[in-house]
Amino acid sequence: MTLQVEIRGLVKSFGAHAVLRGVDLDVRSGDVVVVIGPSGSGKSTLLNCINFLEPFEEGSIRVGGQLVGYKIDTHTGQRVRQPEQELNALRSRIGMVFQHFNLFPHMTVIGNIIEAPIRVRRQQQDAAISNARALLARVGLAAKESAYPSELSGGQQQRVAIARALAMSPEVMLFDEVTSALDPELVGEVLAVMRDLAKDGMTMVVVTHEMNFARDVSDWVVFMDEGLIVEQGEPENFFKKPQTERAREFLRRLLDK
Amino acid sequence: MDFNWNIFLYSLGPLLKGCVVTAELSLISIAIGIVIGTFGGVARLSKRIVMSGLMRLYVTIFRGVPLLVTLLFLYYGLPAAGIQLDAFTVAIIALSVTNGAYITEIVRGSIESLDPGQVRAARSLGMSYALAMRRIILPQALRRVLAPITNESITLLKNTSLVSTIALSDLLRAGLEVMSSKANTFSPFAGVALCYLALTLPLLALNNFLERRYRVT
């Protein structure tokens, strides 16, 4: 199977604090990879490096075979920034959903969804709108296309955010703790949309604290702690018999709650 | 008190002419100032140090130097360096550039007050920085700058009275002329005050209209 995301030796610091200390990760096309771990373990930073919202110091990331953020100058052999236009084109193929939704508050629901297809992809307005309507129907919000984000519940806003990312027909979707800011009763509707996407064969990298989702939906579980991948494996194995003491400790604390 | 209806009514003619000059100066300078301030505010936040440094210098200078001094410098100082500009041009330059400095800071502040997640979301969709600014950030910043820019505009309108020092027949100058020709101080100044007050009213109405139209959601 082809690799959709390929991360090698990723190192990232905020000042003196090393957040990622050498991460290798492969995500195969069509797989759902769930990244779990205690807060501050570097999960979200890892995700933000994949579409270069965060630059990194060392290592490389490839998405669909293409290097992200940097390239190697063929003459000097040194690492140089990727030209902005290339980076933008690459980002447009990587969907991202955020913890706090980050919908554009001055645009309607459908305005949020068609913005990038029209402005970045140069889609015709009619095509963008009909595609957006299909996506809204898919996330169960066909009736809300003219609403403003502030008129929606958190769960609805997050489903719009998913539709907004999907409108660019991404090759891979990144989910950054997308249910953490939601009231408990709204978590289910967002996870349902994500399950539906997974079933459809979307390649997904999901940072989450939802262990049931990790167990039921993922093809691969990655456990991070202190900027390193401590353990990874298939969900059945990982949740039944974690190999490392740190993973066992993490799961035990979650179950105690 | 030497209020005199006849002089008051007589003064209205010259004062109205002065109002036109004052209104012209204000509208042109407000418009130019807003354009300068919008680009300035964005440039002030640029990652290019030269660009943001230049904008910082610009803001520091024109917030630090009194408008009156800028006016006098441009009108009386520059000719000594061989640059002769007419009074109206000098007034427009001084007012716009000073106003632009203040609006630069207003725009910068309002962009910085927005959730950084907005830029991140826009960039994650493949938008360039410029596109994200134009479509996502500035429209949201617009709602937050309306009230402070209205304030600046009213201040600017009143500060146009300083141009009477460089021989422009603005509203204040018109009042001064009536005062000296009719030997009456109270009546023309009552008229001048009322005229300035009246001129600010359309600005307030425009602000109210815009705030309703672009209400913060």
Side-chain angles (χ1 to χ4, degrees):
Chain A
M1 233 178 176
T2 53
L3 288 181
Q4 187 61 56
V5 182
E6 211 179 330
I7 301 174
R8 293 288 174 271
L10 189 64
V11 173
K12 158 87 193 166
S13 312
F14 289 115
H17 176 60
V19 189
L20 298 173
R21 301 187 294 145
V23 172
D24 300 295
L25 180 66
D26 289 336
V27 179
R28 294 178 303 181
S29 287
D31 268 8
V32 177
V33 171
V34 166
V35 183
I36 60 174
S39 9
S41 57
K43 315 179 292 278
S44 289
T45 307
L46 175 66
L47 218 54
N48 285 319
C49 286
I50 295 178
N51 64 357
F52 209 67
L53 285 183
E54 292 289 355
F56 44 88
E57 287 94 50
E58 281 175 46
S60 67
I61 299 178
R62 285 173 193 275
V63 172
Q66 201 184 335
L67 276 172
V68 177
Y70 302 100
K71 45 194 207 177
I72 306 299
D73 188 304
T74 42
H75 297 293
T76 62
Q78 280 185 332
R79 196 177 83 142
V80 291
R81 271 290 178 95
Q82 184 176 39
E84 201 63 18
Q85 264 181 317
E86 262 177 48
L87 180 59
N88 292 337
L90 188 57
R91 276 185 180 140
S92 76
R93 291 158 33 204
I94 306 171
M96 187 160 203
V97 187
F98 301 86
Q99 181 174 357
H100 296 287
F101 332 132
N102 302 359
L103 291 179
F104 307 133
H106 58 301
M107 296 178 177
T108 60
V109 162
I110 199 143
N112 267 272
I113 300 175
I114 64 175
E115 179 66 15
I118 290 176
R119 302 276 164 180
V120 177
R121 281 279 161 72
R122 306 268 162 217
Q123 270 183 27
Q124 292 298 311
Q125 180 147 333
D126 300 348
I129 287 176
S130 64
N131 187 38
R133 289 197 172 127
L135 289 168
L136 278 175
R138 181 168 183 187
V139 300
L141 290 170
K144 296 288 186 188
E145 67 169 65
S146 309
Y148 280 88
S150 59
E151 298 163 343
L152 303 180
S153 74
Q156 291 172 329
Q157 289 189 52
Q158 197 58 296
R159 286 186 279 151
V160 172
I162 294 174
R164 178 176 69 178
L166 288 174
M168 298 296 278
S169 317
E171 295 163 18
V172 53
M173 287 277 284
L174 311 174
F175 292 87
D176 188 7
E177 304 202 23
V178 297
T179 56
S180 299
L182 296 177
D183 290 335
E185 77 270 19
L186 303 177
V187 169
E189 64 192 60
V190 172
L191 291 181
V193 169
M194 291 166 65
R195 281 172 204 269
D196 175 55
L197 273 181
K199 210 165 59 191
D200 236 38
M202 174 63 77
T203 310
M204 296 161 65
V205 183
V206 184
V207 168
T208 188
H209 295 290
E210 297 291 330
M211 290 305 137
N212 289 332
F213 180 85
R215 191 169 14 218
D216 302 345
V217 182
S218 77
D219 300 290
W220 197 252
V221 177
V222 172
F223 172 69
M224 287 184 69
D225 195 14
E226 296 181 342
L228 289 170
I229 293 180
V230 175
E231 185 172 343
Q232 52 185 318
E234 293 183 343
E236 307 86 74
N237 294 332
F238 177 83
F239 285 106
K240 275 196 195 114
K241 30 183 203 298
Q243 301 296 307
T244 59
E245 180 50 40
R246 274 195 278 180
R248 276 197 289 276
E249 173 64 26
F250 175 74
L251 291 173
R252 200 179 309 128
R253 263 186 290 134
L254 277 183
L255 293 176
D256 280 351
K257 271 201 290 195
Chain B
M1 195 172 88
D2 64 349
F3 186 80
N4 178 322
W5 273 106
N6 286 333
I7 294 176
F8 180 75
L9 292 176
Y10 164 82
S11 71
L12 286 182
L15 291 188
L16 275 180
K17 278 194 193 139
C19 275
V20 173
V21 174
T22 294
E24 271 176 10
L25 284 174
S26 302
L27 286 179
I28 297 173
S29 309
I30 288 170
I32 298 177
I34 287 173
V35 173
I36 295 177
T38 306
F39 286 101
V42 173
R44 183 84 171 63
L45 292 169
S46 169
K47 282 193 183 114
R48 294 180 195 137
I49 306 169
V50 178
M51 178 109 85
S52 57
L54 278 177
M55 289 321 294
R56 188 190 296 255
L57 183 67
Y58 160 64
V59 168
T60 308
I61 290 174
F62 287 99
R63 286 203 308 183
V65 175
L67 175 60
L68 180 57
V69 174
T70 308
L71 278 168
L72 295 176
F73 178 79
L74 292 180
Y75 193 66
Y76 294 112
L78 279 190
I83 304 168
Q84 185 91 50
L85 300 170
D86 67 276
F88 193 81
T89 309
V90 163
I92 292 290
I93 293 176
L95 289 165
S96 306
V97 166
T98 305
N99 189 229
Y102 282 97
I103 295 181
T104 293
E105 283 305 280
I106 292 173
V107 170
R108 176 187 67 89
S110 90
I111 291 176
E112 282 185 324
S113 75
L114 293 174
D115 174 10
Q118 291 290 309
V119 177
R120 294 165 66 81
R123 301 307 302 272
S124 81
L125 289 163
M127 292 191 194
S128 66
Y129 183 75
L131 186 60
M133 271 295 151
R134 191 160 59 79
R135 295 288 305 170
I136 308 302
I137 300 307
L138 288 177
Q140 294 185 60
L142 171 71
R143 290 153 175 73
R144 301 184 187 202
V145 300
L146 282 178
I149 285 187
T150 304
N151 257 332
E152 275 320 311
S153 303
I154 290 173
T155 305
L156 179 138
L157 175 96
K158 294 184 294 184
N159 281 345
T160 56
S161 57
L162 293 170
V163 304
S164 55
T165 57
I166 57 167
L168 265 180
S169 318
D170 73 320
L171 176 52
L172 176 61
R173 180 80 164 216
L176 290 167
E177 277 162 8
V178 174
M179 180 187 78
S180 46
S181 69
K182 294 286 166 185
N184 180 307
T185 51
F186 190 96
S187 315
F189 281 121
V192 168
L194 282 175
C195 283
Y196 276 113
L197 185 61
L199 284 171
T200 63
L201 296 180
L203 287 176
L204 289 176
L206 180 65
N207 175 62
N208 288 342
F209 168 75
L210 290 173
E211 281 197 355
R212 263 200 310 276
R213 166 120 191 245
Y214 298 108
R215 73 178 194 288
V216 177
T217 45

